Amino acid sequence: MEETKFIHFDLLGSFSCREASGGEETKNAAAGKKAQSFLQYLIVNHSRHISAEELIGRFWADQSSDPANSLKNMVYKCRNMLKSMFPDGGNLIATLPGCYTWNSTVQLELDSEQFEQACLDARKHSGGAYLDSLLKAIALYKGDFLAGNDSDWVLPLRRYYQTLYLDVCKMTLPLLQEQERWTEMINICEQAAGVDFSADTFIVYQMQALIAMGHPERAVSAYQTFRELLWQEFEIDPGEQIEQIHMLADSMCQNNGGNQDILKLVAEIELDTRAFFCTFGVFQSIVALERRHLARSGSSSSIAIVSLGHMVTPTTDARRLERVLLEGLRTGDPVARLDAGSYILMLTGATVENAWLVMDRLDRTFHKVYSHSKASISFRVVSLEPGVPPISEETELL
């Protein structure tokens, strides 16, 4: 009876192979993208017989006048590729009636399958063994599934393994945090962010670990990078939890001299000369405080929503509007972004009539500075009167 040969293929990250019995990594034979993708398809589906109809439908649907012959030529190419990688392997791809399969004398090991099994096995453990098994699974993920191959059949599998990996990372981070294993947390967060940079979980744990290690300045830097990427890709701001951690890290940077008097620290913070730009959550808190102040003082303040019309240059006009608001309002006026093209602001001590004068000035400033913009800005002004439902006025300044 012929001895079984074990071959290991790495599909997570760079595509490579070796004999599973401790052999050296084998260089892949030179091949075109289609031939390599075809071979990879055979490898991924190594546990079953693959029909000729399936392969033709997958690789030559409406693209060949003689798909059966194209299939035979491709199988011939793949056999030669495998022979150059494993000279002593013999004929590794067997032909059966109407289908193809791997020779019964060879058994394939795939790192993607090992990673998947490690993820499933981790759930069977508890305590320290549970964390160890999670870390083992994470270590097996060397990169995206078949990176560089963007064939239709690859993409769903790539997303599947990415999701498995991200889920395992999310399960691992709180356990590492309990044990104060900050460096491992940071490494996992940085690697996971390479798969999905927009996930709040990883920037939150990364910033928390950096702060715990005494590096608030690195936490602020990580936040700034995350914020810029998030806006460039989705035109949204970070969530409230991220903003709160950033505020903590930023205050620690201000207080890096040691035990200083808190009142002195707060009083000496240098103020921005522009309006106060904040998240919507912070804006809500400021408005709530202002309503309390109005109840005691009897004065009035106003809230305004400023929105761009449809005839705008995405991102560009929004940035222009943001600049006009921050530079055209008073230092104490809070401003928050609602979405990609609208902002909300509070005018402290301003009646609705005075607020409209401010809106008119902002509109004229925008079109004077950016005269070539086609943006049509609309304003909605509401009176902030405690205990009374706000009455709104709105118009559009052309």
Side-chain angles (χ1 to χ4, degrees):
M1 183 176 179
E2 194 169 352
E3 184 180 355
T4 301
K5 177 186 290 291
F6 292 88
I7 299 178
H8 179 91
F9 283 97
D10 288 320
L11 307 183
L12 297 174
S14 59
F15 175 59
S16 62
C17 58
R18 65 179 184 275
E19 290 193 29
S21 56
E24 295 182 359
E25 182 177 308
T26 302
K27 292 185 177 180
N28 301 326
K33 285 187 176 181
K34 189 167 187 175
Q36 181 162 282
S37 181
F38 185 90
L39 176 58
Q40 290 169 344
Y41 189 83
L42 296 180
I43 293 169
V44 170
N45 295 280
H46 66 95
S47 61
R48 64 186 181 88
H49 295 176
I50 311 172
S51 69
E53 288 78 10
E54 177 183 340
L55 293 169
I56 289 172
R58 178 68 67 183
F59 291 93
W60 289 279
D62 304 323
Q63 295 181 7
S64 174
S65 57
D66 189 359
N69 189 55
S70 297
L71 173 59
K72 290 180 181 179
N73 290 335
M74 184 63 76
V75 172
Y76 176 77
K77 286 183 182 178
C78 288
R79 282 173 173 155
N80 286 336
M81 288 167 58
L82 290 168
K83 189 172 294 184
S84 66
M85 291 187 281
F86 303 102
D88 301 327
N91 187 12
L92 297 180
I93 299 177
T95 302
L96 300 178
C99 64
Y100 297 91
T101 188
W102 287 84
N103 195 304
S104 59
T105 62
V106 64
Q107 183 170 328
L108 272 56
E109 295 179 354
L110 311 185
D111 67 337
S112 56
E113 293 180 346
Q114 292 174 339
F115 167 70
E116 180 181 30
Q117 190 59 49
C119 292
L120 296 174
D121 290 344
R123 302 175 187 274
K124 302 175 184 178
H125 300 283
S126 60
Y130 177 54
L131 176 56
D132 290 341
S133 60
L134 291 173
L135 291 172
K136 176 185 175 182
I138 289 174
L140 290 172
Y141 192 88
K142 303 297 185 183
D144 286 342
F145 178 77
L146 292 179
N149 185 347
D150 292 328
S151 302
D152 291 343
W153 70 269
V154 172
L155 299 182
L157 288 170
R158 181 174 300 159
R159 286 191 291 270
Y160 169 70
Y161 288 114
Q162 285 176 338
T163 301
L164 270 184
Y165 170 69
L166 295 174
D167 286 346
V168 170
C169 289
K170 291 174 183 178
M171 291 186 285
T172 304
L173 288 169
L175 301 178
L176 291 176
Q177 188 177 50
E178 289 178 3
Q179 299 184 17
E180 300 183 1
R181 294 163 67 171
W182 311 121
T183 301
E184 291 173 85
M185 283 177 61
I186 293 170
N187 290 337
I188 290 175
C189 289
E190 290 177 345
Q191 292 167 9
V195 177
D196 182 8
F197 81 89
S198 64
D200 287 3
T201 300
F202 305 119
I203 186 65
V204 164
Y205 278 107
Q206 182 181 3
M207 292 172 67
Q208 289 175 336
L210 288 168
I211 290 172
M213 293 178 69
H215 300 300
E217 71 287 346
R218 289 176 57 190
V220 171
S221 177
Y223 162 84
Q224 292 170 341
T225 300
F226 174 80
R227 182 187 180 90
E228 290 173 4
L229 289 173
L230 199 63
W231 180 255
Q232 290 173 6
E233 188 69 23
F234 305 110
E235 295 189 342
I236 59 175
D237 289 321
E240 192 63 31
Q241 184 182 14
I242 298 173
E243 293 290 356
Q244 290 172 354
I245 298 173
H246 168 246
M247 290 175 65
L248 171 62
D250 194 44
S251 66
M252 292 177 68
C253 291
Q254 300 283 345
N255 192 27
N256 57 12
N259 292 325
Q260 301 179 27
D261 182 79
I262 298 300
L263 293 177
K264 181 180 178 182
L265 174 66
V266 173
E268 290 182 350
I269 292 178
E270 184 177 349
L271 295 177
D272 194 340
T273 58
R274 305 183 304 170
F276 178 63
F277 188 77
C278 58
T279 65
F280 183 72
V282 173
F283 182 87
Q284 286 179 304
S285 298
I286 295 174
V287 170
L289 289 173
E290 178 62 13
R291 290 176 70 91
R292 294 186 181 188
H293 170 72
L294 294 179
R296 296 192 304 269
S297 66
S299 59
S300 61
S301 295
S302 300
I303 293 179
I305 293 178
V306 185
S307 302
L308 291 167
H310 299 295
M311 298 296 292
V312 298
T313 304
T315 305
T316 301
D317 278 320
R319 288 298 189 190
R320 291 169 175 172
L321 177 58
E322 181 176 313
R323 188 176 301 113
V324 168
L325 293 175
L326 294 181
E327 295 178 356
L329 296 171
R330 296 169 298 181
T331 302
D333 293 335
V335 181
R337 184 185 293 116
L338 292 178
D339 54 41
S342 62
Y343 296 80
I344 187 168
L345 55 98
M346 184 174 72
L347 300 173
T348 306
T351 64
V352 170
E353 291 75 15
N354 291 335
W356 276 115
L357 294 177
V358 176
M359 297 303 103
D360 180 66
R361 174 170 55 81
L362 293 173
D363 182 72
R364 285 186 282 105
T365 300
F366 182 91
H367 287 99
K368 180 180 179 180
V369 176
Y370 306 107
S371 56
H372 297 293
S373 174
K374 298 181 181 180
S376 177
I377 307 175
S378 63
F379 301 87
R380 181 183 178 190
V381 178
V382 300
S383 175
L384 187 65
E385 299 176 359
V388 179
I391 302 173
S392 68
E393 276 183 62
E394 58 185 310
T395 189
E396 185 171 305
L397 302 179
L398 301 177

